[in-house]
Amino acid sequence: MNARAALFDLYGDHLRIRAGRASVAALVRLLAPLDIAAPAVRTAISRMVRQDWLKPVRLPQGPGYALTPKSVLRLDESATRIYRTGASAWSGRWHVVVFAPVRDRARRERLRADLSFLGYACLSESTWIGPRASPELASLLAEQQVRADRFDSTLDGDPHELVARAWDLPALARAYEAWTVQAVDLVGALPADAPDDRVFATRSRLVHGWRNFLFHDPGLPAELLPPAWPGEKARAFFEQEAARLLPAAAAFVDRNLDKGVH
C-alpha cells in the first residue's frame, strides 16, 4: 500500500467522521503501523493538495490537512458502495453518457479511469453506461472540461447481454475469489490478543484490498449478476471482519489523533 492510497483510506475510513482533518504529526503516527515513513507521508500529502483532495489548515497542534469538498464527495460515494449505505433497488434504467472524443491521450486515460471508478463502462470511444447516475459525474466532467450529454434510458434488448459486453464479469469473479482467500489469511494471522496498532494495520489492509474493487466493480444490481456470485461471499466476509476489527482500530486512531482535532 503506497502512502497516497493509505491516506485516502485513513481519511475515508476514520477521519471523515472525525471532522475530516488531522495534523501532519498525527498522520505520520497513524500510518507508521503500515510501514509508511514520514517523508513518504509528506510527499503524498503535497501531491494530494495539488490535486485538490486535501487543503492545508492551521490546527492548535500545528500544521494539518483537511478534506476538500471534492474529497468529501468522493469519499462519501465510495463509502456508499463499500458499506452499502443507502443502497436502493435498481429501477431497470441505465445512465448513458455521450461526449466528444478526447484527443489528448493523458486526459483520455484519466477520464476513462475516473468513469470506471464511478461504475461506468465503455460501449464506444464516446459512449459510457452505468446502472445508475453517479452524483460525482457532473463535478468530474466540469473538472476535466468535458462536455457530455446524459440520458436516463431503458434498454431495448437483453440486459444480461449488454452487461456481458460491457464488463468482464468472469475476471471480476476470479478477482473476488482470490481476494477472499488472501483476506482470510490476512485476518487469520492476527492473534486474538494483538495490540490495537496491529489490528489497525490489518484492518487497513483489509479495507484497502476491498476498496480496490471500486475501480473494477460497477455495483451491478443482483438481478444482472450470475448465480452464486462470489462477490457476495467476499462482501459478507469483509463486512463481518471490518466490523469486528473496528473498535480496536478506532481506539488506535483516537489515541494518536491530537486532542481537539475530532
Side-chain angles (χ1 to χ4, degrees), residues 186-187 190 197-207 245:
L186 172 69
V187 174
L190 188 67
D197 62 331
R198 186 168 173 185
V199 176
F200 169 83
T202 295
R203 188 179 186 278
S204 295
R205 292 187 173 99
L206 183 75
V207 171
L245 300 176

Side-chain angles (χ1 to χ4, degrees), residues 143-198:
E143 178 185 345
Q144 300 206 13
Q145 298 181 323
V146 174
R147 183 185 175 279
D149 296 310
R150 286 163 275 180
F151 305 89
D152 179 39
S153 305
T154 56
L155 174 69
D156 183 12
D158 181 0
H160 293 88
E161 187 278 329
L162 177 67
V163 166
R165 184 156 43 94
W167 288 281
D168 189 349
L169 291 188
L172 184 58
R174 292 191 296 271
Y176 272 124
E177 291 167 348
W179 178 87
T180 302
V181 172
Q182 295 166 0
V184 169
D185 290 343
L186 172 69
V187 174
L190 188 67
D193 60 348
D196 61 11
D197 62 331
R198 186 168 173 185

Side-chain angles (χ1 to χ4, degrees), residues 28-110:
V28 169
R29 288 195 299 271
L30 289 167
L31 295 190
L34 296 170
D35 299 321
I36 298 175
V41 175
R42 294 188 175 93
T43 298
I45 289 171
S46 297
R47 183 182 176 192
M48 292 173 72
V49 169
R50 290 196 300 271
Q51 295 172 338
D52 193 35
W53 296 114
L54 294 176
K55 61 183 178 183
V57 292
R58 291 295 303 181
L59 300 173
Q61 299 76 24
Y65 290 87
L67 294 169
T68 62
K70 170 184 170 180
S71 276
V72 169
L73 186 63
R74 168 62 59 90
L75 293 177
D76 286 354
E77 175 162 335
S78 297
T80 297
R81 292 164 63 189
I82 291 169
Y83 297 105
R84 281 183 169 168
T85 55
S88 58
W90 185 49
S91 66
R93 302 178 69 83
W94 297 89
H95 196 233
V96 182
V97 184
V98 182
F99 52 85
V102 177
R103 303 300 181 189
D104 179 75
R105 180 177 179 180
R107 285 185 63 213
R108 184 171 65 250
E109 292 304 312
R110 187 166 61 250

